[in-house]
Amino acid sequence: MISEKSKEIIENYIKAYNAFDINTMVSLLHKEILFRNFSNGEINTETKGIQEFRELAEKSSKVFSSRCQTVMDYSVVDKKITVQIDYAAILAVDLPTGLKSGDKIQLKGKSVFEISEGKISLIEDYS
């Protein structure tokens, strides 16, 4: 069972993410935040610490004109909270993959969070 405090922290983070509010996102992170992004089972991005995370968040925010993570479900195993996510975004730039500015991306994925000392210390995104 997820604690109300942990749920509130995660929901505030997702709300800030959707609003491109990087300062609020970072304020919810532990100074030793570890972020990893997995796509098709492979890790393609990793940051350690708030500064690296902030740099990635700022760069990523320029890629999308809008983005929205919607929480579908929560589960907890040990100290890790898994959040099932529906994701939708509209690109602001052309990507090397062939996707163009204005294209809409929709996918289902999950994010795994760990909370330490009242802050998010781990985020792993899977799509």
Side-chain angles (χ1 to χ4, degrees), residues 60-121:
S60 298
S61 72
K62 293 173 176 58
V63 174
F64 303 101
S65 59
S66 71
R67 61 187 183 190
C68 183
Q69 290 186 5
T70 304
V71 175
M72 304 309 292
D73 193 27
Y74 289 94
S75 62
V76 180
V77 176
D78 297 323
K79 291 177 147 188
K80 294 188 177 178
I81 302 160
T82 299
V83 181
Q84 299 299 325
I85 300 278
D86 278 356
Y87 183 80
I90 298 174
L91 290 172
V93 298
D94 295 346
L95 296 180
T97 61
L99 293 171
K100 302 287 184 204
S101 177
D103 284 355
K104 187 170 186 178
I105 298 170
Q106 287 189 282
L107 55 92
K108 293 184 182 300
K110 70 178 180 180
S111 293
V112 177
F113 294 88
E114 196 166 332
I115 310 286
S116 300
E117 301 170 355
K119 301 273 189 173
I120 299 169
S121 58

